[in-house]
Amino acid sequence: MPASDIVGRARGRVPTGLLLVAPPVALVCWMIIWPIFSAIARTLWLPDPEGGRQLSVATYTFFFTDSYSLNNLAITLWTTGVCAAFLLPICLSIALYLRFADGKLAAYVQGLAIFPMFVPSIILSYALIRVLGPNGTVDLLLNSVGLPKINTPYLTPWGPVIGLVWDNIPITVLILLSGLGAVSDQSIEAARDVGANRRSVFWHIILPRITNSILVAISFTVLGIFSAFTLPYVLGPAAPEMMGPFMQRTFRDLNDPTTAITQAVITFCFCIAFGIFYVRSVAKNRKA
Amino acid sequence: MKRRAFMLSTGIAAAGLALLPQIASAEEGRIDWYTGSDQNVMDFWTNIIQPQFEAANPGITLNLVDAGDNAGIIAIAERATAALASGADPQSDYFENHDPRLPAGAIENGLYVNIKEAGLSNYDKINPLAIDTDYSVPYRGSQVLLAYDTTKLDPADAPKTFADLVAWIKANPGEFIYNRPDKGGSGGNFVRRAIYEVNGNDPAAFTVDNFTDESSETMLEPAWALLQDLAPSLFDGGSYTSGNTQSIQLLSQSAVTMIPAWSDQALQAISTGVLPETTGLVQLSDLGLPGGFSRSVILANGTNRDAALKLADFILTEDIQSAVLTELGGFPGVSWDYVSPELREKFADVIPASIPVFPGGDWEVAINDGWYRNVAPNVDRSQ
């Protein structure tokens, strides 16, 4: 069947393809694109003392001159960066192991790696307090063999990092694993035959094939972590706070929607940068 | 061609299905009840009030729904306001705890039932101190007090005044924690008690109407200084939990010795074993930690308005009000004369002589923002 037949535009027929994509596109425009523009307009078109509205960047000036807000943005970027730095090596090694190992153990490892996907983050938060919190399970185990207690990450910036890394392992592993599916056994065997060691097989054969998957995995997890709410809310320190809890608090507790929307627009600008990575690598994939 | 026709029709059918509005409506005889309170209150309604009320009123059932928090209740009230304007079904009858002044203008619009004129047989029993407006039914009270581990702190040495408490916290660094003031009333009211402390312990100094930017600066700044000064002596050199429950968790894990806690939550935690039997409770005697009453509100346009009024009358009966003391650990909304003398004797600890109630509104916003900006970040973790 020629492509034109699937798209359905040839010879004046009903444009089925376009009709099929119309509902999701309309939904995205209505629920996502429109709110973005309305949010930007609401933060730039502020009420003035005379009762009208005027163009002003006051809320953005406030954000970028307010050290409290900037600290919150900085901790969000720090948490995202640290989480990504931990996630990539951890998940890449798990994915490599799962790609090349088989047998019972690999099945168990796969089960364990996917498990966090089924644990709601609020339950994870309280469980982490129990395990890693003060006098938690880890402390009890250490104590029973006569070792000192750990310096608990609970209520420090490391609390959310540990939770977010664990929570994001499944999606990262799954994306990397699907990328590794494109690496054929023959190409690896061929490389081995000409004397390539493990490192050069990874570097010259595997890595070039999965760069796209790595980009997709990173942009996916980074987007999720940047806007995380529950884990930083429960496990993180009171201040600085990540953008998610900060926005929610500004909106609900301080009854200040304009400032909250400003924070959201700034957060969105960072996310769009990661989003561009994702879209570009998908587009590259299509061409290939 | 056949396949395309099939895809077209299923695609359109699926899209049409997704776009259809969700139709739900209130059921006659089923009271749609919402709460923004903690889980212990939900449990109390599920286990105590619901079975008793449904047994006493055949044909009426309760649909207990957790709206999350006060903001969740306000959202439902806003939906009901819209329904009132259009004559639609608000799909809600009863708010467990709500301020009828919200959303703004709700009382004037006739959104809520005037309880005083509704002819409840038990209305006269309500403690006059607890009545806030004619549009709500105060049925339980609660106050923040200090919960501590008696194995580490002898009850005889427990602090009795705020100055004692500050001295104890400084003498025992790392043994006290309170939660962020906007994330739960126990920490919020500890912060408010600190604000009273630096303003001559006079609750009358704060009213909903006397907030100005200047007054908030002069009255709140000294409190931030006091709390900053405490920070290095708190758990982990100045950490703050993100809710009432997390504070109780830290006390139960023996990570700290003392926390501020809601009286009802602490008593329930002790009775269910979340906190050990050896947990002590103490209220400051110079001026108690603030608290307040929870007041139910009934929607005038609810389908089950009359049944909801029956429910409001029911929760003021001696049985339920005694259960508020024994099962919930709160104090009753009715005057103490309507509670049995044995119970009055037994719960002398949580019966307050007076409950300071801090006003909300602008003060609440100023306290929340001020605390986050002034107290939370300035932590010297090297100490």
Side-chain angles (χ1 to χ4, degrees):
Chain A
M1 186 188 285
S4 62
D5 202 38
I6 298 169
V7 178
R9 291 186 60 184
R11 281 159 285 167
R13 284 194 204 145
V14 189
T16 317
L18 287 181
L19 270 179
L20 281 176
V21 296
V25 169
L27 213 59
V28 165
C29 288
W30 175 39
M31 308 276 293
I32 296 170
I33 309 286
W34 160 245
I36 291 171
F37 283 103
S38 128
I40 295 173
R42 279 177 70 181
T43 51
L44 289 174
W45 198 244
L46 298 176
D48 61 15
E50 285 96 61
R53 281 179 173 265
Q54 63 181 27
L55 199 66
S56 154
V57 289
T59 57
Y60 292 91
T61 322
F62 173 76
F63 186 94
F64 286 108
T65 50
D66 176 40
S67 66
Y68 185 77
S69 307
L70 287 177
N71 281 342
N72 290 344
L73 182 61
I75 193 75
T76 312
L77 287 168
W78 179 87
T79 308
T80 311
V82 171
C83 285
F86 275 110
L87 267 172
L88 193 60
I90 292 175
C91 295
L92 198 54
S93 24
I94 296 176
L96 281 171
Y97 170 76
L98 291 177
R99 166 69 180 79
F100 295 106
D102 35 28
K104 244 189 174 157
L105 188 62
Y108 285 125
V109 171
Q110 180 160 9
L112 266 182
I114 306 304
F115 176 64
M117 201 172 236
F118 305 102
V119 182
S121 42
I122 187 75
I123 291 176
L124 167 62
S125 313
Y126 281 92
L128 278 181
I129 302 177
R130 274 267 174 239
V131 174
L132 290 172
N135 296 348
T137 315
V138 173
D139 275 350
L140 293 181
L141 291 176
L142 290 176
N143 194 40
S144 65
V145 291
L147 290 168
K149 291 179 184 177
I150 52 163
N151 213 341
T152 172
Y154 177 44
L155 299 177
T156 75
W158 289 100
V161 167
I162 294 173
L164 286 167
V165 166
W166 194 76
D167 211 23
N168 278 291
I169 284 177
I171 182 96
T172 319
V173 166
L174 286 177
I175 296 173
L176 292 177
L177 209 50
S178 77
L180 282 169
V183 184
S184 66
D185 286 340
Q186 289 96 318
S187 58
I188 292 168
E189 276 159 24
R192 286 227 176 105
D193 284 346
V194 293
N197 60 15
R198 276 167 175 239
R199 223 182 100 188
S200 47
V201 165
F202 176 71
W203 196 253
H204 296 289
I205 306 293
I206 297 175
L207 208 53
R209 295 236 164 178
I210 59 164
T211 358
N212 252 333
S213 304
I214 291 177
L215 267 182
V216 171
I218 290 287
S219 40
F220 247 77
T221 48
V222 155
L223 283 175
I225 292 167
F226 205 84
S227 52
F229 177 75
T230 312
L231 289 160
Y233 175 91
V234 180
L235 297 175
E241 44 192 340
M242 280 180 69
M243 293 306 283
F246 184 39
M247 282 186 266
Q248 192 265 359
R249 193 170 67 77
T250 312
F251 186 77
R252 279 190 123 163
D253 297 338
L254 305 183
N255 300 324
D256 191 351
T258 312
T259 311
I261 296 171
T262 306
Q263 293 158 4
V265 171
I266 291 163
T267 308
F268 174 73
C269 288
F270 279 92
C271 287
I272 212 169
F274 302 123
I276 287 171
F277 263 123
Y278 171 68
V279 172
R280 271 187 53 186
S281 57
V282 168
K284 248 201 221 157
N285 248 354
R286 281 276 166 85
K287 269 184 223 152
Chain B
M1 273 311 273
K2 263 189 181 165
R3 194 190 60 163
R4 183 174 314 148
F6 170 75
M7 278 172 73
L8 192 62
S9 58
T10 45
I12 289 171
L17 211 65
L19 292 176
L20 268 183
Q22 259 200 318
I23 298 165
S25 64
E27 210 175 289
E28 187 73 39
R30 190 191 69 181
I31 302 174
D32 287 315
W33 176 102
Y34 293 87
T35 182
S37 305
D38 280 310
Q39 188 61 38
N40 59 333
V41 174
M42 189 65 164
D43 292 345
F44 178 66
W45 278 79
T46 313
N47 300 330
I48 310 286
I49 298 185
Q50 183 172 24
Q52 291 194 26
F53 179 72
E54 288 177 355
N57 296 278
I60 304 179
T61 55
L62 282 178
N63 176 30
L64 304 178
V65 184
D66 190 347
D69 54 15
N70 290 339
I73 294 278
I74 292 172
I76 295 165
E78 279 165 352
R79 188 180 75 184
T81 309
L84 184 69
S86 62
D89 172 11
Q91 296 166 34
S92 44
D93 300 300
Y94 193 106
F95 296 152
E96 184 265 331
N97 176 26
H98 181 62
D99 180 352
R101 294 177 190 87
L102 300 171
I107 292 178
E108 292 73 25
N109 294 338
L111 182 63
Y112 304 119
V113 175
N114 184 328
I115 304 287
K116 194 180 180 185
E117 288 165 8
L120 298 189
S121 62
N122 293 319
Y123 190 79
D124 295 336
K125 295 182 185 168
I126 294 175
N127 186 342
L129 286 172
I131 291 179
D132 175 41
T133 76
D134 292 344
Y135 294 84
S136 56
V137 192
Y139 84 100
R140 64 178 174 95
S142 179
Q143 190 168 12
V144 174
L145 35 69
L146 299 170
Y148 61 98
D149 185 345
T150 53
T151 59
K152 293 196 223 160
L153 173 67
D154 187 336
D157 301 328
K160 301 284 190 305
T161 65
F162 198 81
D164 284 353
L165 176 61
V166 169
W168 181 87
I169 293 171
K170 288 190 173 173
N172 300 277
E175 294 299 324
F176 187 84
I177 192 163
Y178 63 93
N179 66 270
R180 301 161 206 176
D182 61 324
K183 304 281 187 264
S186 64
N189 283 319
F190 173 80
V191 168
R192 282 160 178 76
R193 179 63 184 82
I195 295 168
Y196 283 144
E197 184 71 15
V198 294
N199 286 288
N201 277 347
D202 177 19
F206 298 88
T207 66
V208 175
D209 308 318
N210 78 345
F211 178 89
T212 61
D213 287 341
E214 295 80 52
S215 66
S216 89
E217 205 158 298
T218 52
M219 293 167 101
L220 299 183
E221 286 294 327
W224 304 147
L226 170 71
L227 292 170
Q228 263 177 36
D229 184 42
L230 274 185
S233 312
L234 296 177
F235 174 76
D236 206 14
S239 283
Y240 308 93
T241 50
S242 51
N244 302 325
T245 316
Q246 290 92 316
S247 294
I248 288 179
Q249 195 174 13
L250 284 185
L251 182 64
S252 77
Q253 284 178 213
S254 202
V256 293
T257 303
M258 193 189 292
I259 56 164
W262 282 110
S263 59
D264 54 348
Q265 235 177 351
L267 286 172
Q268 206 194 30
I270 294 170
S271 74
T272 54
V274 171
L275 286 175
E277 287 283 322
T278 50
T279 307
L281 300 174
V282 64
Q283 182 57 271
L284 299 180
S285 54
D286 52 344
L287 176 69
L289 289 149
F293 283 91
S294 296
R295 302 176 180 91
S296 293
V297 167
I298 294 167
L299 289 149
N301 58 339
T303 311
N304 300 294
R305 179 177 169 274
D306 295 332
L309 279 169
K310 267 188 198 163
L311 177 60
D313 211 19
F314 185 76
I315 58 172
L316 294 174
T317 56
E318 188 173 329
D319 274 0
I320 298 297
Q321 289 295 312
S322 302
V324 165
L325 267 168
T326 54
E327 305 289 334
L328 190 62
F331 33 84
V334 296
S335 300
W336 289 98
D337 304 338
Y338 299 101
V339 176
S340 69
E342 307 93 76
L343 284 180
R344 231 179 298 166
E345 192 93 345
K346 189 177 169 202
F347 287 92
D349 274 353
V350 294
I351 295 179
S354 71
I355 316 166
V357 177
F358 207 97
D362 292 334
W363 281 111
E364 188 168 341
V365 174
I367 290 171
N368 288 342
D369 197 35
W371 184 88
Y372 270 91
R373 288 180 173 275
N374 296 293
V375 182
N378 295 345
V379 170
D380 184 3
R381 288 195 175 268
S382 61
Q383 281 186 351

